[in-house]
Amino acid sequence: MLDRAFAEGAEADLTGAGGAARTVRAAVLAALLRGSGGTGGGRALRVRGARVTGSLDLTGGGLAPEVLRIDFEDCEFDAPLVCRDAALPGLVLRGCTVPSVDADRVRTQGPLELRGCVVAGGVRLERARAETDVVLSGSVLGPGADGVALAGAGLMVTGVLDLTDLRASGVVQLGGARIAGPVRMTDARVRVPGADAVVLDRAVLGDRLMARRLVVEGGLRMFNADVAGGIQLSGARLDRPDGIAFGASGASVRGAVWCSAPFTASGEVRLAGAELRTRLDLTGARIGHPGGSVALRLDRMSASDVGLEGLHVASGSVSATGIHVRDTLDLRVDRVAVLDLAQGTVGVLLDGPVHWPDRAGVAGLTYASLHPLLPAPARLAWLARDPSTEAATQPYAQLAQYYLMLGRPLDARRIRYASQVRHRAGLRGAARLWEGLLQVTVGYGFRPWRALGWLAVLVVLGTAVFGTLPPTALEPEKAPRFHAVAYTLDLLLPLVSLGQDSAFQPVGATQWLSYALIGVGWVLASAVGLGLGRSLSGG
C-alpha cells in the first residue's frame, strides 16, 4: 500500500489499520525517499496515522530528485527524526509525536512545518535554511539535553517563522537568525524559569515580531537585533524577577515597540542604547523588578515618541539617562518612585504634578517644550525632586530660559533666584557667608529693592544718633552747616562725597558707628554690583 501510494503521489492513510498493518519501519521510508525502494517513479511521500519504528535518518540528503513532498500527519515516531545537512523539497509534520527532530543545516525548497506536534526532546534547526516558511504553530516542545527546546541559532527563513500558540518547556534559541517575513509568537508560552527563555540576540527580522499575549517564564532577549518592522508585545506576560524580563539593548527597530496594557513584566525591562525609528509604548503597563534596583532602563535610547501614560512601576526605578526623544515624552505615569532623565534630550515633555515621581533626575535634561504650562513655583517643586549637586544649576537655567521664551520674565527671575538659594545650600565657610549676605541684601541681584531697605534703615539709625550726638567740626570757620542725614549718607555711600564726612569728626562712641557705616556701605555697594551683574548675565 505504501509503495503504491508513494508511486502515485497519493496519501497512505493507515489510521484505521490495526497492529502491524499500521507500523512502518523508518528504514523503508528512507529507502523510498532515496529511490532504492524499487518504485522508481515516486513524487510524494504522504503518510497519515502510521506508527514509525526506528529513526528516520535522512542525514546528508541523497533523496531521489523526483520527490517533491514529504508529509506526515497524525503519525507516531518512536525514535528521533534526523535530517542534518540534508536538502529536502520540504518537510511537513502535522499532529505527530516525535521524540526529537534534528535538522541542523537542513535546506528546504518548500515549507518546513511541525504543526500541532509533540516533540519531547526538542527541535534543532541551527543554521538551517528554508526557502519558504517555517511553522511550529500549536506544537509542544520539550527540552533537549542542553535545555533548548528550539535550537535555531543562525536559522535563515525566506518566508514566515510561525510560532503561534507554541508551548516550549526549554529555551527558544534564535540568536543570529535571519527571517525575511514576520515572526509570529502570538499566544505562545515558553517556560524556563530564572533563565533567558526566548533569545533573539543579533537576529535580523525583515518584517515584524508579533507576540501578543506571549507568556514567558524567564527572559525575552533581543540584544542588538535588527527589526525592519515593529515589535508587538501588547498583553504579553514576562516573568524573570531576578534578571532581565525583556531586553532589547542596542536593537534597531524601524517600527514601533508596543508593550501596552495588559503587558506585565516581573524583572527589568531594558532597552538601553536601542534605536527606535518611531514609538515606544508602555501605556498602562505594569512592571517591577523585585530582585533589582531598576525596573525600566532606557539609557541612551532614541525614539520619536515614548508613551508612559498610566505606567505602574511596583518596584524599582526608571532610568532614562541620556535618552533622546525627538517628539513627545509622555510621563503621565500612574506610579514610579524614581525617574532619572539626566542628560536627556526631549522635544515635548508631557507630565503633571500628580504624575511626578518621589525622586527625579533632571541634571543636564534639555527640552523644547513643557506641557502643561505651570506657574514657576510648581516647576520649582519638580526641580527640587532631584537632590543631586549636579542639578543645582543647569536645570534652573534651562527652565528660566524656557519661561523667558514664553514671555514670562518674572517667572524666569523667580527661578534664577531659587537657583542661587540652592547653590548657597551646597557651600561651606566664607563662601556660604558671602552668598548669604548677597541673599539678604540684594536677593542675589534679583531683588535689588532689599538694598534700598537696608540703606533706609541705616540712614534712620545714623540720623538719630548723629542728630543727638553731632560730630565736631574740624575747621569751624570753614565747615558747612552740619546735616545728620547728609552726614550719614556720606559715610554709607562709597565714592560719593557730600562734603560732610570730611568736615566733621565724630566723637566718643559715635566714632565706631561711623566706621561701621563706612564698612557696611562698601559691603552693600559690592553686593549690589555683584548681584546686578549676576542678574544681567542670567545667574
Side-chain angles (χ1 to χ4, degrees), residues 242-301:
D242 60 343
I244 299 174
F246 174 43
S249 294
S252 175
V253 184
R254 285 174 282 287
V257 178
W258 299 94
C259 299
S260 51
F263 176 88
T264 62
S266 178
E268 182 179 333
V269 175
R270 180 183 294 185
L271 289 93
E275 181 182 353
L276 314 183
R277 298 288 179 86
T278 60
R279 177 178 178 82
L280 169 63
D281 195 302
L282 281 154
T283 301
R286 300 181 69 86
I287 64 175
H289 192 182
S293 59
V294 179
L296 176 61
R297 191 180 297 277
L298 306 178
D299 303 332
R300 304 176 308 284
M301 188 195 78

Side-chain angles (χ1 to χ4, degrees), residues 434 437 441 451 454-455 458 488-495 513-529:
W434 173 247
L437 181 62
T441 54
W454 283 108
L455 184 63
L458 294 172
T488 303
L489 287 171
D490 221 356
L491 294 173
L492 283 169
L493 300 177
L495 307 177
L513 177 59
S514 67
Y515 299 151
L517 291 176
I518 292 171
V520 171
W522 277 104
V523 170
L524 276 176
S526 300
V528 169

Side-chain angles (χ1 to χ4, degrees), residues 230-536:
I231 297 175
Q232 177 57 266
L233 288 169
S234 296
R237 188 169 78 247
L238 313 176
D239 186 13
R240 193 181 177 187
D242 60 343
I244 299 174
F246 174 43
S249 294
S252 175
V253 184
R254 285 174 282 287
V257 178
W258 299 94
C259 299
S260 51
F263 176 88
T264 62
S266 178
E268 182 179 333
V269 175
R270 180 183 294 185
L271 289 93
E275 181 182 353
L276 314 183
R277 298 288 179 86
T278 60
R279 177 178 178 82
L280 169 63
D281 195 302
L282 281 154
T283 301
R286 300 181 69 86
I287 64 175
H289 192 182
S293 59
V294 179
L296 176 61
R297 191 180 297 277
L298 306 178
D299 303 332
R300 304 176 308 284
M301 188 195 78
S302 65
S304 63
D305 297 277
V306 175
L308 305 182
E309 182 179 3
L311 172 67
H312 182 92
V313 182
S315 60
S317 65
V318 175
S319 178
T321 60
I323 191 173
H324 177 62
V325 182
R326 294 180 291 278
D327 195 351
T328 301
L329 171 59
D330 190 341
L331 292 179
R332 293 175 297 174
V333 297
D334 175 49
R335 181 186 183 277
V336 58
V338 181
L339 172 60
D340 192 353
L341 296 170
Q343 308 303 322
T345 304
V346 178
V348 178
L349 196 155
L350 181 60
D351 63 357
V354 297
H355 305 291
W356 288 342
D358 299 334
R359 180 170 176 170
V362 296
L365 172 66
T366 60
Y367 43 82
S369 181
L370 296 172
H371 288 285
L373 179 60
L374 300 174
R379 283 295 173 190
L380 288 173
W382 174 55
L383 297 185
R385 293 174 187 243
D386 186 343
S388 67
T389 56
E390 294 82 1
T393 305
Q394 181 274 336
Y396 291 86
Q398 159 88 6
L399 187 59
Q401 186 62 36
Y402 176 67
Y403 277 99
L404 277 177
M405 181 186 69
L406 296 177
R408 302 178 65 161
L410 293 180
D411 280 333
R413 290 172 66 85
R414 187 176 289 112
I415 292 164
R416 287 176 176 169
Y417 176 79
S419 174
Q420 295 298 327
V421 172
R422 179 164 174 174
H423 172 69
R424 177 179 178 266
L427 299 176
R428 296 291 182 270
R432 182 182 177 90
L433 291 175
W434 173 247
E435 291 291 324
L437 181 62
L438 289 178
Q439 180 182 3
V440 171
T441 54
V442 292
Y444 302 109
F446 299 106
R447 298 177 181 178
W449 50 264
R450 287 184 178 180
L452 295 177
W454 283 108
L455 184 63
V457 170
L458 294 172
V459 168
V460 170
L461 174 64
T463 299
V465 172
F466 294 120
T468 304
L469 300 171
T472 302
L474 296 175
E475 297 182 38
E477 65 280 359
K478 297 180 180 181
R481 180 182 176 184
F482 175 73
H483 196 289
V485 174
Y487 182 72
T488 303
L489 287 171
D490 221 356
L491 294 173
L492 283 169
L493 300 177
L495 307 177
V496 175
S497 177
L498 301 179
Q500 291 281 310
D501 64 335
S502 60
F504 296 93
Q505 174 67 41
V507 295
T510 59
Q511 288 184 348
W512 296 106
L513 177 59
S514 67
Y515 299 151
L517 291 176
I518 292 171
V520 171
W522 277 104
V523 170
L524 276 176
S526 300
V528 169
L530 181 58
L532 290 176
R534 285 184 176 180
S535 175
L536 294 174

Side-chain angles (χ1 to χ4, degrees), residues 126-154:
E126 286 192 353
R127 297 187 296 283
R129 180 164 185 162
E131 295 300 329
T132 57
D133 301 334
V134 173
V135 180
L136 289 92
S137 60
S139 289
V140 178
L141 307 184
D146 56 1
V148 178
L150 174 58

